[in-house]
């Protein structure tokens, strides 16, 4: 149930990928033989399928190694290409490190970055963004769905605000694509970061939507692949897998979202029904269907996680390799350090069942009751005082 860290690759995705390791092993850039053409055609088909996730045209999509690279390319690429237009970037305190760290890199280069606060339900107020924009602002980056608390930002509306202020708008949609509708043909979003492994696709493959005509400085230069924005031989099997995962995700989105939301609500209701002192973190209204993030009063975060050995969940983001301390996202919501450490993040997935949810509720209930039980101590007050001692 740790589906925000990653997801199991769908067997249909694996089946689609396998021929591109052996039978169709060609290089998609080889122009003079059948092996190259087969690979090129498969990449073109996958590009169209991935583009459909965000409503873009296929030629506006650049394949990368994942959302981390896409975020870096978007943020550093715009900052470099638009250096003469301004030196200010706006983002949000609750972003993933794959956005916060490239922003910190820009600060080291002398750009100014504003980190916007969120409300206690995890959502950014549009007015907060409006008041942060200056004539120097070149880029606004706000994630579509948060990877810890699953809250959804109204990226279409925020993109309109950014555009009205003369800035580019980027969204990290790693957790959102294939889960909720994103449509760059309706909304003035300039850049979208995607990744396959949160959507039952393979790891190490992602994409960046780059709106037609937008100037971007590449991070990786070489053979001029991907319209010069990301050089390097294309990872054809992974791209094919991403395409297949995208198609499955998009085709079944409505039913799958409803199923996952029902499972998630069963989990939330089960935990709240079984225990007192359970706090749901983040808005329940604007939220991914498969996310639940809860804190438990009166338990230590470490004991909570180490005690749940039979359930794969996490506290905070697994994608951050340094894990010391409590979640910056929960702290931005105003949670105490104790309560934010005593939190569990659930990400339900395609292969989870109602039985599993019920088992998890029972395991968490038993553990939390045990952790909250007072430690039995030998009470000296009940003992007679030794001779010669007085109260
Ligand atoms: C919101 C968000 N952005 C970026 C990433 C990084 O994506 P990737 O693992 O594809 O680099 C993740 C998770 O890993 C994420 O949840």
């Amino acid at each position: 149930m740790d589906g925000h860290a990653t997801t199991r690759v769908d067997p249909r995705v694996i089946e689609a990928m396998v021929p591109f390791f052996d039978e169709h092993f060609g290089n998609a850039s080889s122009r003079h033989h059948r092996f190259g053409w087969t690979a090129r055609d498969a990449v073109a088909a996958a590009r169209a399928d991935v583009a459909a996730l965000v409503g873009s045209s296929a030629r506006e999509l650049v394949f990368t190694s994942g959302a981390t690279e896409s975020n870096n390319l978007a943020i550093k690429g715009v900052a470099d290409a638009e250096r003469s237009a301004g030196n200010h970037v706006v983002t949000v305190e609750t972003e993933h490190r794959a956005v916060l760290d490239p922003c910190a890199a820009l600060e080291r280069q002398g750009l100014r970055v504003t980190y916007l606060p969120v409300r206690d339900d995890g959502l950014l107020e549009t007015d907060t963004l409006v008041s942060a924009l200056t004539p120097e602002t070149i880029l606004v980056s706000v994630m579509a769905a948060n990877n810890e608390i699953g809250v959804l930002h109204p990226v279409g509306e925020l993109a309109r605000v950014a555009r009205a202020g003369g800035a580019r708008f980027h969204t990290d949609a790693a957790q959102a694509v294939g889960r909720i509708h994103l449509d760059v043909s309706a909304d003035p979003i300039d850049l979208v970061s995607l990744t396959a492994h949160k959507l039952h696709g393979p790891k190490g493959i992602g994409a960046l939507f780059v709106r037609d005509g937008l100037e971007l400085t590449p991070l990786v230069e070489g053979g001029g692949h991907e319209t010069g924005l990301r050089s390097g031989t294309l990872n054809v099997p992974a791209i094919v897998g991403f395409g297949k995962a995208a198609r499955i995700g998009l085709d079944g989105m409505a039913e799958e979202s409803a199923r996952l939301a029902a499972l998630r609500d069963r989990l939330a209701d089960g935990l709240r029904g079984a225990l007192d002192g359970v706090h749901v973190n983040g808005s329940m209204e604007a939220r991914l269907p498969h996310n639940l993030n809860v804190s438990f009063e009166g338990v230590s975060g470490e004991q909570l996680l180490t005690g749940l050995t039979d359930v794969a969940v996490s506290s905070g983001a697994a994608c951050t390799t340094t894990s010391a301390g409590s979640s910056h996202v929960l702290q931005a919501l105003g949670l105490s350090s104790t309560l934010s450490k005593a939190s569990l993040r659930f990400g339900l997935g395609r292969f989870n069942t109602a039985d599993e949810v019920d088992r998890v509720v029972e395991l968490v209930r038993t553990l939390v009751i045990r952790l909250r039980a007072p430690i039995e101590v030998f009470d000296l007050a009940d003992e007679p005082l030794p001779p010669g001692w007085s109260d």
Side-chain angles (χ1 to χ4, degrees), residues 81-163:
E82 307 220 344
R83 180 150 295 188
S84 58
N87 69 347
H88 180 224
V89 170
V90 177
T91 188
V92 185
E93 285 177 1
T94 51
E95 291 289 319
H96 191 276
R97 294 236 67 92
V99 163
L100 296 174
D101 288 356
C103 285
L106 297 186
E107 286 184 288
R108 290 193 295 276
Q109 289 170 16
L111 276 86
R112 198 165 70 78
V113 180
T114 301
Y115 299 90
L116 302 177
V118 293
R119 298 191 311 220
D120 62 3
D121 64 358
L123 291 169
L124 170 68
E125 302 251 14
T126 306
D127 284 349
T128 309
L129 172 59
V130 173
S131 52
L133 296 175
T134 75
E136 286 290 311
T137 312
I138 49 173
L139 179 69
V140 174
S141 180
V142 180
M143 70 201 320
N146 186 275
N147 52 298
E148 293 188 32
I149 53 175
V151 297
L152 304 174
H153 284 127
V155 285
E157 182 184 320
L158 299 171
R160 266 177 267 283
V161 169
R163 181 160 292 186

Side-chain angles (χ1 to χ4, degrees), residues 1-3 304-305 308 311-316 344-347 360 364:
M1 294 194 179
D2 199 10
L304 188 63
L305 270 184
L308 269 184
V311 188
V313 282
S314 62
S315 175
L344 294 178
R345 173 187 73 164
F346 296 91
V360 167
V364 174

Side-chain angles (χ1 to χ4, degrees), residues 149-196:
I149 53 175
V151 297
L152 304 174
H153 284 127
V155 285
E157 182 184 320
L158 299 171
R160 266 177 267 283
V161 169
R163 181 160 292 186
R168 303 291 186 186
F169 186 84
H170 164 249
T171 187
D172 174 353
Q175 298 285 352
V177 284
R179 311 289 187 171
I180 56 160
H181 278 289
L182 284 173
D183 188 1
V184 297
S185 69
D187 296 323
I189 301 172
D190 296 299
L191 299 136
V192 184
S193 298
L194 319 174
T195 192

